[in-house]
């Protein structure tokens, strides 16, 4: 479990910041007042309790950070080469989905916190969309993990040494690709921002560094999702001649390129049409994909 | 994680989890309340991770995001003052609810302290894990499915009751009070 030490590093950072605050007072010759520091921290912590005047500005300012954390968290679970990955958990594939799940509240917070009609519409659209697509995403991960008998991404790569999962479970791949593209809120799934109709939507009020952070987080999301697609379906780092990391990079770039290429060529999808597709088609098919995965696991992978 | 790292994560996370959980009932905005609950339950996932309960922690983080976000959706839809601009109160019937909450809290704490928890470590290949799998997917399946369907019916029923005829009373019998925005 030593891979979870990053959490402890955060705790050390929080404690360290407080101690530095005390040292500053000490060095400045002021009598150290830990209580004043505690009061300042408490004032920050009390912020959610103040009554909003016009909008939840507190959520608005937290959203880009949460989006970045979710994107980086997802990236951390993608294995790039044998022994080269951020965090190695035996449930890494599910942890990847868990990190992606926090994109949803982040974008909702951005839209709701902006307190403008179009931004709120963008936030709610995103909620509805991601609730519909989160389930196929998680179910497909289960289906792909079944032959490996493990949720550890490296095990999923190893089990594809002969045949990549894309050929074994084409239905799962067909369901995964649109859902994965939707998580990155890239066109044609750019419904929360929808520049043509919502004028920036959930992100319309962000300027400067905040806007840059959101763009950065979106690109990281694309890298993470493309990398996981390569891991789950294309055999990850496995391939002849070239070094493993290069194979992985090539596959990731190919998937990312495909996503961007599709986005350039398809019109933005209508919200209600995407939702009815997700609930009436993608979700039942995902259950079918799990049943199929169970079948081939019993037949060929034991 | 080492004991020190575990402690470093566990204690601040546990305190923050309780504080955010408490905040849910003090704040006035529905979006804040729902997201604070998400924060509380997500931090609980981190506490599980710190305690080396990996699968439980990851699952908690995954499920709670979806569930709490759904709850925000419904709370904003149904509450008359979802933004909290008019200072609505999350707590009603304060004295009795405080008494019930206190009693339940003490009861749960007693269960946690007085239960004779098994102290042996269980590996991934232990027979217990297999037994739990067969129990969940076998005998208990019907119970789980029944509970799931009951929750689904309760949700659909709740929506129908709260929004009879919808916002504009479409389909309501003629002559009935056309309340809400259609009035």
């Amino acid at each position: 479990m030593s891979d979870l030490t990053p959490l402890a590093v955060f705790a050390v950072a929080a404690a360290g910041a407080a101690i530095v605050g005390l040292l500053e007072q000490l060095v400045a010759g002021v009598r150290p007042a830990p209580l004043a520091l505690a009061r300042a921290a408490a004032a920050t912590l009390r912020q959610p309790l103040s009554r909003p005047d016009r909008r939840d500005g507190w959520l608005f300012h937290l959203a880009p950070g949460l989006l970045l954390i979710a994107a980086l968290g997802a990236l951390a679970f993608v294995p790039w080469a044998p022994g080269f990955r951020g965090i190695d958990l035996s449930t890494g594939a599910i942890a990847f989905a868990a990190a992606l799940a926090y994109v949803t509240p982040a974008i909702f917070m951005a839209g709701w916190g902006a307190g403008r009609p179009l931004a709120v519409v963008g936030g709610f659209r995103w909620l509805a969309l991601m609730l519909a697509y989160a389930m196929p995403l998680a179910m497909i991960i289960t289906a792909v993990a079944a032959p490996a008998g493990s949720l550890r991404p490296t095990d999923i790569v190893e089990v594809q040494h002969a045949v990549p999962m894309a050929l074994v479970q084409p239905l799962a791949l067909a369901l995964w690709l649109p859902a994965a593209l939707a998580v990155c809120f890239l066109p044609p799934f750019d419904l929360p921002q929808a520049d043509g109709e919502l004028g920036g939507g959930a992100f319309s009020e962000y300027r400067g560094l905040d806007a840059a952070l959101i763009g950065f987080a979106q690109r990281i999301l694309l890298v993470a999702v493309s990398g996981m697609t390569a891991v789950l379906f294309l055999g990850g780092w496995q391939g002849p001649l070239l070094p493993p990391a290069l194979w992985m990079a090539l596959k990731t770039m190919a998937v990312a390129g495909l996503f961007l290429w599709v986005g350039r060529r398809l019109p933005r999808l209508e919200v209600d049409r995407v939702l009815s597709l997700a609930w009436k088609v993608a979700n039942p098919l995902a259950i079918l994909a799990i049943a199929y995965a169970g079948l081939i696991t019993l037949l060929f992978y034991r | 994680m080492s004991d020190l790292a575990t402690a470093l994560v566990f204690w601040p996370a546990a305190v923050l989890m309780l504080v955010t959980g408490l905040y849910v009932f003090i704040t006035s905005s529905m979006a804040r309340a729902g997201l604070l609950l998400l924060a509380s339950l997500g931090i609980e996932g981190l506490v599980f991770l710190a305690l080396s309960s990996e699968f439980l922690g990851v699952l908690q983080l995954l499920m709670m995001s979806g569930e709490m976000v759904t709850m925000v959706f419904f709370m904003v839809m149904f509450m008359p003052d979802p933004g909290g601009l008019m200072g609505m109160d999350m707590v009603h019937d304060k004295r009795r609810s405080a008494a019930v909450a206190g009693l339940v809290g003490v009861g749960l704490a007693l269960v946690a302290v007085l239960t004779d928890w098994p102290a042996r470590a269980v590996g991934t290949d232990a027979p217990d894990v297999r037994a739990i799998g067969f129990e969940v997917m076998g005998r208990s399946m019907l119970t789980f499915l029944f509970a799931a369907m009951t929750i689904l019916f309760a949700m659909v029923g709740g929506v129908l009751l709260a929004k009879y005829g919808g916002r504009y009373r479409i389909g309501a019998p003629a002559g009935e009070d056309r309340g809400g925005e259609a009035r």
Side-chain angles (χ1 to χ4, degrees):
Chain A
M1 294 301 281
S2 60
D3 279 319
L4 284 174
T5 319
L7 282 178
V9 174
F10 274 112
V12 172
I19 293 172
V20 167
L22 280 181
L23 279 179
E24 273 175 347
Q25 291 173 336
L26 211 60
V27 169
V30 191
R31 228 176 97 217
L35 273 181
L37 278 178
R39 265 200 298 278
T44 315
L45 281 179
R46 257 202 311 276
Q47 217 169 359
L49 298 184
S50 64
R51 191 193 294 182
D53 46 357
R54 268 173 314 178
R55 61 193 185 93
D56 275 336
W58 170 73
L59 297 178
F60 180 74
H61 294 297
L62 221 54
L66 182 60
L67 192 61
L68 194 63
I69 289 176
L72 285 173
L75 190 65
F77 293 106
V78 180
W80 297 101
F84 177 29
R85 66 248 181 284
I87 300 174
D88 185 34
L89 288 188
S90 64
T91 51
I94 290 289
F96 173 79
L100 285 187
Y102 285 82
V103 174
T104 316
I107 294 184
F108 171 73
M109 281 157 68
W112 174 268
R116 307 267 176 189
L118 290 183
V120 176
V121 169
F124 271 108
R125 260 187 184 187
W126 179 250
L127 266 191
L129 185 71
M130 272 343 281
L131 288 178
Y133 270 104
M135 285 225 283
L137 212 63
M139 285 198 274
I140 295 307
I141 287 179
T142 323
V144 173
S150 157
L151 286 165
R152 193 188 290 273
T154 42
D155 293 346
I156 298 177
V157 172
E158 297 296 344
V159 84
Q160 302 177 60
H161 62 90
V163 192
M165 209 50 79
L167 298 178
V168 183
Q169 301 194 40
L171 173 64
L173 180 64
L175 292 171
W176 168 271
L177 287 179
L181 184 54
V183 173
C184 303
F185 49 99
L186 282 165
F189 292 99
D190 56 341
L191 292 165
Q193 71 270 41
D195 280 318
E197 36 180 323
L198 295 184
F203 308 127
S204 55
E205 298 298 312
Y206 284 107
R207 301 286 177 270
L209 188 58
D210 281 346
L213 273 186
I214 288 169
F216 186 43
Q218 188 181 29
R219 283 171 174 80
I220 297 175
L221 266 180
L222 180 62
V223 174
V225 160
S226 311
M228 209 36 142
T229 310
V231 165
L232 293 181
F233 289 100
L234 305 178
W237 60 75
Q238 293 181 338
L241 298 176
L242 300 175
L246 194 58
W247 265 117
M248 183 64 189
L250 284 176
K251 288 173 183 176
T252 305
M253 276 198 290
V255 175
L258 174 77
F259 280 158
L260 293 174
W261 184 82
V262 165
R264 290 287 295 185
R265 269 150 193 83
L266 288 183
R268 183 179 306 120
L269 293 157
E270 254 177 84
V271 182
D272 44 356
R273 197 165 294 175
V274 181
L275 287 181
S276 86
L277 259 179
W279 285 114
K280 293 178 196 159
V281 181
N283 272 302
L285 281 181
I287 296 176
L288 199 68
I290 289 187
Y292 170 73
L295 196 69
I296 57 162
T297 305
L298 288 180
L299 288 180
F300 302 116
Y301 285 93
R302 275 160 65 100
Chain B
M1 275 196 279
S2 68
D3 286 346
L4 176 65
T6 304
L8 273 177
V9 175
F10 177 82
W11 290 107
V15 170
L16 209 58
M17 173 179 93
L18 292 177
V19 168
T20 43
L22 184 68
Y23 274 16
V24 171
F25 298 98
I26 313 179
T27 186
S28 52
S29 148
M30 285 303 106
R32 284 183 190 186
L35 289 168
L36 279 167
L37 194 54
L38 168 59
S40 181
L41 294 166
I43 295 170
E44 192 188 350
L46 296 184
V47 170
F48 281 140
L49 285 180
L51 295 177
S52 306
S53 188
E54 192 188 307
F55 186 66
L56 215 52
V58 169
L59 210 59
Q60 171 93 359
L61 281 167
L62 173 67
M63 301 305 289
M64 283 311 137
S65 165
E67 282 164 23
M68 290 309 122
V69 157
T70 318
M71 203 180 69
V72 172
F73 202 96
F74 276 86
M75 279 156 76
V76 170
M77 251 195 316
F78 284 145
M79 288 291 171
D81 178 22
L85 299 180
M86 276 132 45
M88 70 153 289
D89 200 341
M90 282 287 283
V91 190
H92 305 286
D93 199 0
K94 289 187 189 178
R95 200 172 301 158
R96 256 183 292 180
S97 45
V100 171
L103 276 178
V104 172
V106 169
L108 288 177
L110 280 179
V111 169
V113 173
L114 295 182
T115 306
D116 186 19
W117 301 105
R120 68 205 162 85
V122 175
T124 37
D125 300 325
D128 311 60
V129 179
R130 224 180 137 73
I132 289 175
F134 276 100
E135 179 66 34
V136 169
M137 299 307 286
R139 230 168 22 144
S140 302
M141 198 46 149
L142 194 64
T143 320
F144 281 118
L145 282 179
F146 187 73
M149 291 314 282
T150 312
I151 294 171
L152 184 66
F153 286 148
M155 280 168 69
V156 174
V159 173
L160 286 179
L161 283 176
K163 284 278 173 194
Y164 172 52
R167 182 182 258 189
Y168 299 104
R169 291 288 181 272
I170 293 164
E176 194 162 306
D177 172 32
R178 298 172 72 81
E181 301 190 11
R183 195 188 293 266

